[in-house]
Amino acid sequence: VLAAVGDRMAGKPGVAARLFDALARARVNVRAIAQGASERNISVALDMADATKALRAAHAAFWLSPQTLSLGVIGPGKVGAALLDQIAAAAPRLKREANLDLRLRAVAASRRMWLDDAGDSAQWRSLLTDSTEPCDLGRFASHVQAAHLPHAVILDCSASDTVAAHYAGWLRAGIHVITPNKHAGAGSIERYRAIRAAATSGAARFRYEATVGAGLPVIQTLRDLLDTGDEVHSVEGIFSGTLAWLFNRHDGKIPFSALLREAHAQGYTEPDPRDDLSGTDVARKIVILAREAGWGMSLDEVIVENLVPASLRDVNRQEFMQRLEEFDSVMLGRLQQATRAQKVLRYVARLDRGGKAQVGLVELPREHAFANIRLTDNIVQFSTKRYRDNPLVVQGPGAGPEVTAAGVFADLLRVAAAVGAPL
Amino acid sequence: VLAAVGDRMAGKPGVAARLFDALARARVNVRAIAQGASERNISVALDMADATKALRAAHAAFWLSPQTLSLGVIGPGKVGAALLDQIAAAAPRLKREANLDLRLRAVAASRRMWLDDAGDSAQWRSLLTDSTEPCDLGRFASHVQAAHLPHAVILDCSASDTVAAHYAGWLRAGIHVITPNKHAGAGSIERYRAIRAAATSGAARFRYEATVGAGLPVIQTLRDLLDTGDEVHSVEGIFSGTLAWLFNRHDGKIPFSALLREAHAQGYTEPDPRDDLSGTDVARKIVILAREAGWGMSLDEVIVENLVPASLRDVNRQEFMQRLEEFDSVMLGRLQQATRAQKVLRYVARLDRGGKAQVGLVELPREHAFANIRLTDNIVQFSTKRYRDNPLVVQGPGAGPEVTAAGVFADLLRVAAAVGAPL
């Protein structure tokens, strides 16, 4: 197949290694090989069917940086678009300083997708809009994992459970998976275990730092504590910027319903504020942390206080928004009770050793760290064997497209480091 | 050299790649190779002089995990000893769960060293004590970088500038260097640049997370912000647990000198408390962060407020400890001035975009985050383009052997990930 390695490579140690490594990665079955003493020739016999794949792989091995990552992004919504913009902006610097070659090769939305045979990836917005290619995640994944590029990464910025169902298969095929989507981490424990098993047995990584605290270093910090042999006693925190804002503002002067309307109008809540007020989103984050800590917990095991009055849980969104006043008397009562005890109300999640978890409204002393965070901040406290007297604390904005995309991007850098980029 | 690969490997794709990769790493010059169609035989012709090296490398390639790290620890003091204990305790789990094989092969103290030909590494304390081998960092490094192990890491837990002078050479030789020693990061800018250049040009990594905030994720967090394209506007914080304790406690009821004596007796200060009070140690951390941010700054460019009265700067330690009362009137005056303005005193470091830095005592509003940290905590606030309204905050104990060792260990895990461990 390769008649001559060429003068450029001749005699350099490692040429054969690089070639065979590339052929192995491309899953080319080598039948026989021979290398002359001049080291200018390496002959490889292989099946005819593998010839194109082998040529591409050999070419890539000698002409591309080994830190070339083929990227496919699913879900070009707010987070996905911010991520694509961040990658485009940072790529030249990463290329220059870390020899990291990030190549956007596919973008998939729910209905259509764009694969890069057709145009310049910087124009992904218009290329995707103009594309008539229906979304097919099988074809998408094969395209991202092109034989001629050494590594493939799928970045799932959708909020889709259907996409999460593909992760284990992609990982088994050697495609790295990175996501801010909580469905895999907090979904069925069987699927989670299959994803973990696929990631640990092979060379592909599964990372999802941005599922908790967006760009804040939460999951990596927990992993480092555990991997260096610390013992986690508890993880406590405020994991919802929306609920943080509501209870930081709720002082009895303005009815809770008015604050809720303001938060909704400002875009601080989900389109249906019940998605925040039910506590399920916070519970999902706690499940993710519990599983990271090795406590194989499921969402239904978390004790969750749903702040939505029973009368408003089953009505449609429009009716819900009209009847927000039904929150007011209960919330005012809770606030007055806390105030009488010289305390404040906060919506807090707590995870204890072994996987006992609860999420709900608690009364805290005014000087408590959780009582003094900035309006929409998240805060996480790790109490461990080493951080026993004083916990390790991470705090800051825990939502928003820019910081969430940055969390996904940081995971991508971790994958780049794992394939050799000096990061 | 290799007459038969053996049944275990026969026919598996990638066998040739693995062999040639191992030979290339061991710098064996391959003259000619041939592989039969059965894939049971790979013949390699090489120089007689390389034969032993090649055999060891081939053996390692097939019988050792590629994530085998040969470790050498320098400076088995409090941090070094804690690190060795942590590694020994965590190693079985890392082996089981991440196929990571950590092998302690050498420990060097200032006078003597132990190299592992002679005994079980778990017994390093007695082996080092019994060793008659004088410390020789050249021999130490060659021993750690054994030809038959794929990767070598030197963990420098000394506080020695002499050891830091070896880093660039070790990195160029392909040895990873990890350290909580601030001499390289905050020392001469030329040496720092040589170390960086050696790390970026080759495959070996230089990591020093534990130099700032011990086990707190500070440098990695800054790197991720920068590498994902964020822009750092300022980094502010309290970087000395000793000074945090002193100013958290100093309320005018007890003289400053009495607090200082108590802190010294409790072991919160350095043996000579002037090493804390001068602010130099805090300034070193700021220099490290400035350089990470790409602002090539030196220690003498930091504006540092030295809290030691001029009259006590040049006396010996014993006399200094006897004359601590000379702090009292100045410190009380500063405190009263702050109190009149409804403020508190904190020893704060601030780094601004481009590399303007100052370290000193400042008056802060009582509700400021820095005014409400736990007694000996460190706190770091990153204000960036993305974290503009609310900064990203990391807080917790920033000193002590256990958490410092954990910071070094976390860096070691990052190196392990870079050579393929699924971490």
Side-chain angles (χ1 to χ4, degrees):
Chain A
V1 153
L2 278 190
V5 176
D7 287 343
R8 184 164 167 264
M9 290 295 165
K12 284 199 185 163
V15 168
R18 209 147 140 197
L19 174 63
F20 291 111
D21 186 46
L23 295 178
R25 272 178 206 277
R27 299 182 183 205
V28 169
N29 197 12
V30 175
R31 317 288 300 183
I33 53 184
Q35 179 186 342
S38 75
E39 293 206 316
R40 288 199 178 216
N41 294 292
I42 300 178
S43 303
V44 180
L46 34 78
D47 292 338
M48 198 51 154
D50 285 341
T52 312
K53 201 159 68 167
L55 259 180
R56 279 196 182 152
H59 176 259
F62 294 101
W63 296 104
L64 292 175
S65 149
Q67 292 93 48
T68 301
L69 302 186
S70 167
L71 308 181
V73 172
I74 300 173
K78 282 185 191 169
V79 171
L83 176 65
L84 286 163
D85 290 343
Q86 287 180 8
I87 290 174
R93 178 175 181 245
L94 291 167
K95 176 87 200 217
R96 204 170 56 238
E97 294 181 8
N99 196 22
L100 176 62
D101 191 354
L102 298 175
R103 303 208 177 171
L104 176 65
R105 301 193 64 254
V107 178
S110 50
R111 304 243 178 104
R112 57 170 74 90
M113 65 183 183
W114 160 77
L115 308 179
D116 79 340
D117 326 276
D120 170 15
S121 71
Q123 308 300 320
W124 67 267
R125 275 185 182 82
S126 58
L127 290 164
L128 180 64
T129 313
D130 297 346
S131 172
T132 53
E133 186 101 46
C135 180
D136 170 345
L137 290 180
R139 285 196 57 221
F140 175 87
S142 320
H143 185 82
V144 174
Q145 194 176 36
H148 68 287
L149 291 176
H151 310 284
V153 186
I154 289 180
L155 302 129
D156 172 23
C157 298
S158 78
S160 155
D161 193 64
T162 319
V163 177
H166 290 269
Y167 294 172
W170 289 337
L171 289 162
R172 274 194 299 271
I175 304 172
H176 304 279
V177 175
I178 300 174
T179 188
N181 177 349
K182 286 185 278 286
H183 280 289
S188 100
I189 188 86
E190 291 74 23
R191 184 170 73 187
Y192 174 80
R193 287 193 174 129
I195 290 169
R196 275 270 159 249
T200 18
S201 65
R205 303 286 190 276
F206 174 58
R207 299 192 66 98
Y208 57 158
E209 175 64 84
T211 53
V212 182
L216 303 176
V218 176
I219 293 177
Q220 182 69 62
T221 298
L222 176 58
R223 275 256 56 86
D224 282 342
L225 292 171
L226 294 163
D227 287 339
T228 62
D230 204 350
E231 289 165 25
V232 175
H233 297 164
S234 71
V235 184
E236 278 179 287
I238 294 180
F239 293 93
S240 160
T242 313
L243 297 177
W245 186 91
L246 284 169
F247 290 102
N248 276 323
R249 290 287 309 275
H250 186 221
D251 59 4
K253 290 175 195 151
I254 306 173
F256 193 80
S257 57
L259 290 172
L260 209 43
R261 282 211 173 82
E262 185 183 339
H264 188 255
Q266 299 281 337
Y268 293 163
T269 70
E270 295 292 322
D272 186 332
R274 287 173 293 190
D275 291 341
D276 299 299
L277 294 160
S278 69
T280 309
D281 192 59
V282 174
R284 282 202 183 95
K285 295 176 186 175
I286 279 295
V287 168
I288 287 171
L289 294 177
R291 290 177 179 178
E292 268 311 307
W295 307 321
M297 150 168 249
S298 287
L299 193 56
D300 56 16
E301 296 171 78
V302 183
I303 301 165
V304 185
E305 180 181 7
N306 183 342
L307 296 177
V308 183
S311 59
L312 294 180
R313 287 184 196 169
D314 299 320
V315 304
N316 66 34
R317 194 208 299 186
Q318 200 188 354
E319 187 178 342
F320 172 76
M321 291 306 296
Q322 283 163 355
R323 291 170 57 187
L324 292 183
E325 281 69 18
E326 292 176 32
F327 279 88
D328 291 341
S329 68
V330 178
M331 285 301 175
L332 187 62
R334 295 286 293 266
L335 179 67
Q336 287 168 338
Q337 190 181 338
T339 309
R340 273 195 298 275
Q342 308 277 353
K343 292 187 171 175
V344 299
L345 287 179
R346 293 292 181 269
Y347 197 83
V348 169
R350 183 184 170 96
L351 170 66
D352 282 291
R353 196 176 196 154
K356 270 182 49 191
Q358 41 198 350
V359 170
L361 207 53
V362 298
E363 297 184 357
L364 295 174
R366 288 179 204 284
E367 60 277 11
H368 192 283
F370 297 174
N372 294 288
I373 60 172
R374 293 179 181 84
L375 277 181
T376 56
D377 269 6
N378 283 15
I379 182 167
V380 192
Q381 284 194 352
F382 297 98
S383 300
T384 71
K385 192 172 137 209
R386 291 181 199 141
Y387 293 98
R388 189 180 42 207
D389 299 332
N390 297 4
L392 189 166
V393 184
V394 177
Q395 184 179 341
E402 283 291 320
V403 293
T404 306
V408 176
F409 198 170
D411 273 346
L412 179 60
L413 295 174
R414 225 50 20 102
V415 168
V419 303
L423 289 165
Chain B
V1 152
L2 278 190
V5 176
D7 286 344
R8 183 163 167 264
M9 291 295 166
K12 286 200 185 161
V15 168
R18 208 146 139 198
L19 175 63
F20 291 110
D21 186 45
L23 295 177
R25 270 177 207 278
R27 298 177 187 205
V28 169
N29 197 14
V30 175
R31 317 289 300 183
I33 53 184
Q35 178 187 342
S38 76
E39 292 205 318
R40 286 198 179 216
N41 293 292
I42 300 179
S43 303
V44 181
L46 35 78
D47 292 338
M48 198 51 154
D50 285 341
T52 311
K53 200 160 67 167
L55 259 180
R56 278 196 183 151
H59 176 259
F62 294 101
W63 297 104
L64 292 176
S65 148
Q67 291 93 48
T68 300
L69 302 186
S70 167
L71 308 181
V73 172
I74 300 174
K78 282 185 193 170
V79 171
L83 176 65
L84 286 163
D85 290 343
Q86 286 180 10
I87 290 174
R93 177 175 182 244
L94 291 167
K95 177 86 201 218
R96 203 169 56 238
E97 295 181 7
N99 197 21
L100 176 62
D101 191 354
L102 299 176
R103 303 209 177 170
L104 175 65
R105 301 194 62 254
V107 178
S110 50
R111 304 242 180 105
R112 56 170 77 91
M113 65 182 183
W114 159 77
L115 308 180
D116 79 340
D117 325 275
D120 171 15
S121 70
Q123 308 300 321
W124 67 267
R125 276 186 181 81
S126 57
L127 290 164
L128 180 65
T129 313
D130 297 346
S131 173
T132 53
E133 188 102 46
C135 180
D136 170 344
L137 289 179
R139 285 197 57 220
F140 174 88
S142 318
H143 185 84
V144 174
Q145 195 175 35
H148 67 287
L149 292 176
H151 310 284
V153 186
I154 289 180
L155 303 129
D156 172 23
C157 297
S158 78
S160 155
D161 193 64
T162 319
V163 178
H166 291 267
Y167 294 172
W170 290 337
L171 290 162
R172 275 193 299 272
I175 304 172
H176 305 280
V177 176
I178 299 174
T179 187
N181 178 348
K182 287 186 276 287
H183 280 289
S188 99
I189 187 87
E190 292 74 24
R191 184 171 72 187
Y192 174 79
R193 286 193 174 129
I195 290 170
R196 276 269 158 252
T200 18
S201 65
R205 303 286 192 275
F206 174 58
R207 299 191 66 98
Y208 58 156
E209 175 65 85
T211 54
V212 182
L216 303 176
V218 176
I219 293 176
Q220 181 70 61
T221 299
L222 176 58
R223 275 256 57 86
D224 283 342
L225 292 171
L226 295 163
D227 287 338
T228 62
D230 204 349
E231 288 165 25
V232 174
H233 297 163
S234 71
V235 183
E236 278 179 287
I238 293 180
F239 293 92
S240 160
T242 313
L243 297 177
W245 186 90
L246 284 168
F247 291 102
N248 276 323
R249 289 287 309 276
H250 187 221
D251 58 4
K253 289 176 194 149
I254 305 174
F256 193 80
S257 57
L259 290 172
L260 209 42
R261 283 212 171 82
E262 183 183 340
H264 188 254
Q266 299 280 335
Y268 293 162
T269 69
E270 294 294 319
D272 187 331
R274 287 174 293 190
D275 292 341
D276 300 299
L277 295 159
S278 69
T280 309
D281 191 61
V282 174
R284 283 205 183 93
K285 295 175 186 177
I286 280 294
V287 168
I288 287 171
L289 294 177
R291 290 178 179 178
E292 262 321 300
W295 307 321
M297 158 167 241
S298 287
L299 193 56
D300 56 14
E301 295 171 80
V302 184
I303 301 166
V304 184
E305 181 182 6
N306 184 342
L307 296 178
V308 182
S311 58
L312 294 180
R313 285 182 198 170
D314 299 320
V315 304
N316 67 34
R317 193 209 297 184
Q318 201 189 352
E319 187 179 342
F320 172 76
M321 290 306 297
Q322 283 162 356
R323 291 169 57 188
L324 293 183
E325 281 68 18
E326 293 176 32
F327 279 89
D328 291 342
S329 68
V330 178
M331 285 302 175
L332 187 62
R334 296 287 291 268
L335 179 67
Q336 287 168 337
Q337 191 180 340
T339 310
R340 274 194 297 275
Q342 309 275 353
K343 291 187 171 174
V344 299
L345 287 179
R346 293 292 182 268
Y347 196 83
V348 168
R350 183 184 170 96
L351 170 66
D352 282 292
R353 197 175 196 153
K356 269 182 49 190
Q358 41 198 352
V359 170
L361 208 53
V362 298
E363 298 184 359
L364 296 174
R366 289 179 203 284
E367 60 278 12
H368 193 283
F370 297 174
N372 293 288
I373 60 172
R374 293 178 182 84
L375 277 181
T376 56
D377 269 6
N378 283 16
I379 182 167
V380 192
Q381 285 194 352
F382 298 97
S383 300
T384 72
K385 193 172 137 208
R386 291 181 198 140
Y387 294 98
R388 189 181 42 206
D389 299 332
N390 297 4
L392 188 167
V393 184
V394 177
Q395 184 180 341
E402 283 291 320
V403 293
T404 306
V408 177
F409 198 171
D411 273 346
L412 178 61
L413 295 173
R414 228 47 22 100
V415 168
V419 302
L423 289 165

